Amino acid sequence: MNRRRAYDDDDGYERGRKRRRVSENQEIEDRLESLILRVGEKSTSSLESNLEGLVSVLEADLGTFRSKILRILSDCAIKMPEKCTIYTTLVGLLNAKNYNFGGEFVDHMVKTFKESLKSCKWDAARFSLRFLADLVNCHVISASSLLQLLDNMIDTANDDTVPQVRRDWYVFAVLSTLPWVGRDLYEKKEAALENLLVRIEVFLNKRTKKHHNALRVWSVDAPHPQEEYLDCLWAQIRKLRQDNWAEKHIPRPYLTFDSVLCEALQHNLPAIVPPPHHESYSYPMPWVVYRMFDYTDCPDGPILPGAHSIERFLIEEHLHSIIQNHHKERKDCAAHLLNFPYKSKIPLEYCIVEVIFGELFHMPTPRYLDICYGSILIELCKLQPSTMPQVLAQATEILFMRIDSMNTSCFDRFVNWFSYHLSNFQFRWSWDDWDSCLLLEPEHPRPKFIQEVLHKSLRLSYHQRIKEMMPEAYSRLIPPEPKPDYKYMHEGAASLPGTATAHKLVVAIRQKCTAEDVLRELEDLPNPLSRDMDTGDSSFNPLKIEVFVQTLLNLASKSFSHAFAAISKFHYVFKMLADSDGAQQCILDNVFELFHDHQQMVVVIVDKLLKTQIVECSTVATWVFSKKMGPEFTKMYLWEILHLTIKKMNKHVVKLAQELQESKEKLAHTAESSSSETDEDGGGVSVGRKRKIGDSGEKPTEDMLERAEEKLDAAYVDQKKLFLIIFQRFIMILTEHLVKCDTDGRDPDTDWYRWTIGRLQQVFLMHHEQVQKYSSTLESLLFTSDLDTHILDVFHQFVALTS
């Protein structure tokens, strides 16, 4: 017994010692990680002395923690690109002291670069390439082996058999790396660098830019050209070359250690051949560089770098990176933006505002929700109240003055941002400065913008407040009071068919009647369609729908919650009445008729009818383009409804596809488990194990898989049908307009036409991932060569985005 106790104690002692050792190692690893991550942050010591101290610490720990240090440094290269030169200097100093470690690190970064390319992590790949390039400056990598890699990437870009978006990315990756390493390559390998630049220029001159117009914020180039991103970066690189590759915004701490670094042995990069294109690969889409300000817009102080200076590219990329890293915490994001390292050299507020609006107006869709940018701008105004509100007001003025040529999608985002911003600053604005817009036609973008802003502000406030905040001159743009217009309470409503039933229904609903009671009340109403069978579909009774929908929703109009509760309670009645496309459209007509002065209520009720499957997505699309909605056609809320309908359908398809994939994986896993159990047990006792697999959820069968596939196929059919309806209606109304103008000898380029063509473009771009799947069907059925070129161009620009 004593012997056994001694054994237990001894075992416990050994285990405790191991635990302590693991714990100590973990502490050292955490400390190393913290030191590496924090290098370059504000400190009482200089960056150079911090780097020297860190090199000593890391060198001492390389024997034990080599793999951990490699991983942390390569992670920093990708996740903190703004500190690229600090980390390359650190690696350079380590390489000077330990050549083998330098070689291991280069191999590790090359592996990271290759894996990023294979897994389509394009930003990670670009930052890895930049890091490798900057290691040339630190005498870790030879200039000739880097040039070989850059040449290989341009070879990849010259492959005509792959999509242009792939080829573009490889050229962009090379161009965006040159500011870091251009000077060194120019001094050491001038001829090879010139050859590389000539090859890039040849590529850029050959590439097509049909997508360009679809991605512009403004349709005109005055006062700032709307440049395609590769063209702009190429102009910036050419300017940098003219300046002998000297730039002012990249910190280069390795210059301090040049005497140490130049003594180090260099490594050659292995031959890196980018992975071939695969159909499943998704590449970054092209974009247009957003420009709002130039140096004349900024008051006395630091001068804004020119549009074609490399500094503009470097500043903007750094600000975009800050937004990406901190967008989830608006206060941190605003603080980091205002603490930009080179703020004394540039008009920082102007740069920040331009970059944020550039993200907000990014086509086809912004990276983050509109409200993300709005909330960051509000925090910036709070943190910098002496300058930021004035710069933002100046930007708003510029946007409003140029709104005539603004892209329709960007118009919507501008409306959403401005109304949200006003709501956070007590709706104060100098409206009198814009009163010249009141002389313009109602459909002109300027009065339209103010009207839409007031409608959105109404959602964030209340009607009386909106009336009080606006000058008298704007009275015609102020939205009507958002209340229901119940036809059975109008003067003379007694003569309307259905009034008596409507009044009975009011009493019954207030007395908490059932769905069956409602149907009994409605059953005696005559069907106006049965008088003339040729006028429409008599399979539904529009009077029943009118009486029920308007009465129920009028009683429930106090709030959205009341309306939702009413729809849920009488869902059965809705389903009984909405038994055809015509009936569903009639329901939507009556929702609009009742709430024609309450846009938000129409939006939320249509959304609820879709969620509860009372109306189908295709019916909503048909209704949006119906003659009844003609007067509403250019209003934002109607397109809000269409886009939420498309998103609803897209979500449904994605959900079914995910469920099918999960079922396939479960079935494959079950089959594998069954076969392995049979092998292990020789077909013996494996029942217990099999039962465990099914415990986590229902075990899918081949039949269930088949049904899931059928459901997904049906959803794809519905999705395709929805897009076909939408694009067919667009083509019909636009063609009708163009033909009519041609017949009458009028200019077709009216405000209505520009809104409508803009909405067509918006549908393509907002839902590009889904529409892309059906582009060949759309081309063969709708966007054929005999279509008017104005309409056809929109389709071709869309196709060019990913071709």
Side-chain angles (χ1 to χ4, degrees):
M1 197 69 179
N2 288 339
R3 276 204 310 274
R4 184 163 183 177
R5 201 176 294 126
Y7 170 80
D8 283 347
D9 289 346
D10 188 48
D11 185 44
Y13 170 71
E14 284 296 323
R15 277 205 309 272
R17 201 163 64 168
K18 279 180 190 168
R19 265 201 304 273
R20 268 199 303 280
R21 196 159 59 242
V22 168
S23 174
E24 283 167 13
N25 284 356
Q26 187 62 50
E27 279 177 24
I28 295 169
E29 285 184 5
D30 291 346
R31 186 172 61 84
L32 287 174
E33 186 164 4
S34 174
L35 286 170
I36 294 170
L37 291 177
R38 284 166 47 209
V39 69
E41 290 179 8
K42 281 184 181 174
S43 163
T44 49
S45 309
S46 68
L47 173 61
E48 287 74 16
S49 64
N50 284 339
L51 281 168
E52 284 175 330
L54 183 55
V55 167
S56 301
V57 171
L58 294 180
E59 193 192 8
D61 286 319
L62 275 181
T64 316
F65 302 105
R66 183 175 293 257
S67 59
K68 176 76 174 177
I69 292 167
L70 281 170
R71 188 186 61 74
I72 296 169
L73 285 172
S74 60
D75 279 355
C76 288
I78 291 166
K79 292 175 183 170
M80 293 198 257
E82 67 280 0
K83 288 165 72 173
C84 168
T85 55
I86 295 172
Y87 290 116
T88 51
T89 306
L90 180 61
V91 172
L93 292 169
L94 284 167
N95 179 62
K97 293 196 172 197
N98 188 325
Y99 178 75
N100 288 337
F101 175 78
E104 284 179 45
F105 181 79
V106 170
D107 290 343
H108 195 77
M109 277 309 299
V110 167
K111 186 182 171 195
T112 302
F113 176 58
K114 285 177 169 177
E115 284 173 357
S116 299
L117 289 176
K118 274 183 192 167
S119 53
C120 297
K121 294 177 180 171
W122 304 113
D123 280 345
R126 196 162 63 85
F127 297 145
S128 302
L129 179 67
R130 178 191 297 176
F131 202 86
L132 290 169
D134 205 47
L135 288 175
V136 172
N137 298 318
C138 302
H139 300 271
V140 177
I141 290 173
S142 66
S144 54
S145 66
L146 176 73
L147 276 164
Q148 185 56 56
L149 168 58
L150 300 182
D151 269 323
N152 288 351
M153 293 184 73
I154 299 303
D155 288 340
T156 302
N158 284 323
D159 179 0
D160 293 335
T161 63
V162 298
Q164 184 174 296
V165 278
R166 171 186 166 88
R167 301 162 66 202
D168 285 355
W169 182 84
Y170 277 92
V171 172
F172 177 66
V174 172
L175 283 175
S176 63
T177 297
L178 289 177
W180 273 261
V181 75
R183 179 76 188 175
D184 214 57
L185 296 180
Y186 170 66
E187 289 173 354
K188 294 174 183 172
K189 300 280 180 184
E190 187 180 357
L193 176 60
E194 279 304 310
N195 181 51
L196 182 77
L197 293 171
V198 167
R199 295 183 70 202
I200 290 172
E201 188 166 24
V202 169
F203 169 85
L204 292 173
N205 289 338
K206 282 196 304 186
R207 73 190 278 264
T208 59
K209 289 180 285 187
K210 194 172 263 293
H211 57 268
H212 186 189
N213 285 338
L215 301 174
R216 294 164 64 108
V217 176
W218 289 288
S219 58
V220 295
D221 278 333
H224 305 296
Q226 301 290 292
E227 287 184 293
E228 212 264 351
Y229 78 115
L230 273 182
D231 289 346
C232 184
L233 181 53
W234 175 240
Q236 290 164 332
I237 293 293
R238 278 166 53 201
K239 175 77 169 61
L240 181 60
R241 181 172 58 174
Q242 283 171 19
D243 298 338
N244 290 328
W245 300 95
E247 52 65 48
K248 301 169 191 160
H249 276 269
I250 297 176
R252 299 186 186 270
Y254 37 75
L255 295 176
T256 310
F257 301 102
D258 194 51
S259 57
V260 177
L261 296 174
C262 69
E263 296 294 322
L265 293 172
Q266 291 179 309
H267 305 268
N268 285 322
L269 287 170
I272 301 171
V273 179
H277 169 65
H278 190 273
E279 280 183 9
S280 64
Y281 285 6
S282 172
Y283 300 94
M285 290 172 82
W287 69 91
V288 168
V289 178
Y290 181 74
R291 291 278 179 260
M292 179 185 271
F293 302 119
D294 59 31
Y295 69 94
T296 58
D297 294 309
C298 308
D300 297 339
I303 294 174
L304 184 72
H308 285 163
S309 69
I310 200 65
E311 285 76 20
R312 193 75 168 260
F313 171 77
L314 297 171
I315 292 161
E316 286 167 356
E317 187 179 55
H318 195 160
L319 291 171
H320 284 301
S321 176
I322 291 171
I323 292 170
Q324 182 176 351
N325 292 335
H326 302 284
H327 70 276
K328 289 182 181 175
E329 291 291 341
R330 65 186 191 279
K331 292 186 178 183
D332 288 351
C333 190
H336 278 89
L337 287 169
L338 291 171
N339 287 328
F340 188 72
Y342 313 106
K343 57 185 176 185
S344 60
K345 297 181 182 177
I346 56 169
L348 181 61
E349 290 85 353
Y350 286 89
C351 292
I352 290 172
V353 168
E354 184 172 80
V355 163
I356 290 178
F357 276 115
E359 289 223 3
L360 178 63
F361 294 146
H362 182 81
M363 299 295 290
T365 50
R367 281 199 292 183
Y368 311 116
L369 295 174
D370 293 3
I371 201 168
C372 168
Y373 303 108
S375 61
I376 292 168
L377 286 168
I378 287 165
E379 290 303 325
L380 288 165
C381 289
K382 288 178 184 174
L383 287 175
Q384 200 87 311
S386 58
T387 53
M388 191 55 80
Q390 290 90 321
V391 174
L392 204 48
Q394 189 179 339
T396 308
E397 192 68 32
I398 288 170
L399 289 171
F400 184 73
M401 288 303 135
R402 296 191 63 192
I403 205 167
D404 304 22
S405 60
M406 188 182 261
N407 180 301
T408 306
S409 293
C410 297
F411 176 92
D412 288 359
R413 295 176 210 168
F414 184 27
V415 166
N416 290 335
W417 166 74
F418 190 55
S419 52
Y420 170 72
H421 192 77
L422 286 178
S423 72
N424 280 274
F425 290 94
Q426 301 174 342
F427 293 99
R428 286 179 302 196
W429 186 253
S430 49
W431 296 106
D432 291 333
D433 295 349
W434 288 354
D435 60 8
S436 60
C437 76
L438 298 169
L439 305 171
L440 300 167
E441 291 293 316
E443 291 294 306
H444 189 281
R446 290 190 195 181
K448 190 95 178 151
F449 171 76
I450 293 170
Q451 193 167 38
E452 293 292 3
V453 163
L454 295 179
H455 272 289
K456 284 285 180 177
S457 298
L458 186 57
R459 297 188 186 189
L460 302 165
S461 184
Y462 54 97
H463 190 256
Q464 191 59 34
R465 179 79 182 84
I466 303 301
K467 276 179 75 175
E468 287 167 2
M469 82 184 199
M470 296 305 291
E472 186 63 36
Y474 285 84
S475 57
R476 72 177 174 88
L477 299 181
I478 296 171
E481 190 177 347
K483 58 183 184 182
D485 182 17
Y486 185 48
K487 67 188 292 181
Y488 297 112
M489 292 296 285
H490 285 186
E491 195 177 332
S495 60
L496 291 174
T499 302
T501 306
H503 291 168
K504 281 188 210 166
L505 206 55
V506 169
V507 174
I509 291 169
R510 281 182 173 155
Q511 289 176 350
K512 299 193 169 31
C513 66
T514 63
E516 287 74 16
D517 296 334
V518 169
L519 287 169
R520 273 196 297 276
E521 290 289 353
L522 298 171
E523 66 185 1
D524 294 332
L525 285 170
N527 188 347
L529 293 181
S530 60
R531 293 178 205 146
D532 183 358
M533 293 297 286
D534 299 327
T535 57
D537 177 9
S538 64
S539 63
F540 71 96
N541 186 332
L543 188 56
K544 279 186 182 181
I545 291 171
E546 189 177 283
V547 169
F548 170 68
V549 171
Q550 294 214 26
T551 303
L552 178 70
L553 295 180
N554 180 56
L555 285 171
S557 63
K558 191 174 181 181
S559 70
F560 300 142
S561 302
H562 284 77
F564 294 164
I567 292 168
S568 298
K569 183 176 180 183
F570 295 102
H571 183 262
Y572 177 69
V573 181
F574 276 106
K575 288 296 279 182
M576 292 300 290
L577 294 175
D579 56 355
S580 67
D581 286 348
Q584 290 174 22
Q585 202 162 320
C586 187
I587 289 173
L588 295 169
D589 283 341
N590 279 284
V591 170
F592 171 68
E593 201 175 311
L594 179 67
F595 293 114
H596 58 81
D597 288 338
H598 197 337
Q599 292 183 359
Q600 192 178 9
M601 188 63 99
V602 176
V603 174
V604 296
I605 287 178
V606 172
D607 186 43
K608 186 68 174 176
L609 295 175
L610 280 166
K611 279 179 180 165
T612 50
Q613 298 180 340
I614 290 166
V615 298
E616 292 175 12
C617 294
S618 56
T619 309
V620 175
T622 307
W623 173 72
V624 164
F625 289 91
S626 65
K627 279 197 162 50
K628 189 177 184 81
M629 300 308 291
E632 308 294 298
F633 196 70
T634 59
K635 294 180 181 176
M636 266 177 68
Y637 85 97
L638 200 64
W639 298 97
E640 189 182 345
I641 290 171
L642 185 70
H643 291 303
L644 72 84
T645 303
I646 296 171
K647 283 176 186 169
K648 196 83 65 197
M649 174 58 79
N650 296 345
K651 272 187 187 173
H652 177 59
V653 170
V654 168
K655 181 170 169 267
L656 291 177
Q658 282 174 346
E659 285 174 1
L660 177 62
Q661 187 59 34
E662 284 168 13
S663 297
K664 281 181 178 175
E665 285 168 7
K666 273 186 187 173
L667 194 63
H669 177 68
T670 307
E672 274 176 33
S673 304
S674 301
S675 61
S676 64
E677 282 159 11
T678 307
D679 291 345
E680 282 173 24
D681 301 326
V685 187
S686 60
V687 179
R689 291 186 195 175
K690 279 186 185 176
R691 199 171 287 128
K692 280 180 189 173
I693 294 160
D695 288 347
S696 60
E698 193 181 358
K699 194 164 65 176
T701 62
E702 291 288 351
D703 285 348
M704 287 165 67
L705 212 59
E706 226 172 272
R707 284 198 296 276
E709 282 174 349
E710 284 169 8
K711 279 171 80 175
L712 181 60
D713 289 343
Y716 278 132
V717 169
D718 288 343
Q719 189 181 44
K720 187 194 283 190
K721 178 186 170 188
L722 178 63
F723 284 125
L724 285 170
I725 287 171
I726 291 166
F727 293 125
Q728 186 189 42
R729 295 298 191 278
F730 266 121
I731 289 169
M732 282 165 60
I733 59 171
L734 283 166
T735 305
E736 188 182 323
H737 169 79
L738 292 166
V739 168
K740 198 167 189 307
C741 288
D742 190 43
T743 308
D744 298 348
R746 288 186 289 117
D747 181 5
D749 193 25
T750 60
D751 288 324
W752 180 91
Y753 170 76
R754 284 195 291 274
W755 286 121
T756 307
I757 207 91
R759 293 297 176 192
L760 169 61
Q761 196 175 58
Q762 187 181 42
V763 172
F764 272 123
L765 295 180
M766 268 183 79
H767 311 285
H768 61 92
E769 288 176 15
Q770 292 77 26
V771 180
Q772 202 73 48
K773 292 183 290 196
Y774 308 114
S775 55
S776 55
T777 307
L778 292 170
E779 189 168 19
S780 59
L781 292 181
L782 297 177
F783 294 94
T784 50
S785 56
D786 58 342
L787 204 58
D788 187 279
T789 52
H790 295 84
I791 306 169
L792 206 51
D793 275 353
V794 176
F795 177 70
H796 287 154
Q797 287 164 16
F798 158 72
V799 172
L801 281 176
T802 52
S803 63

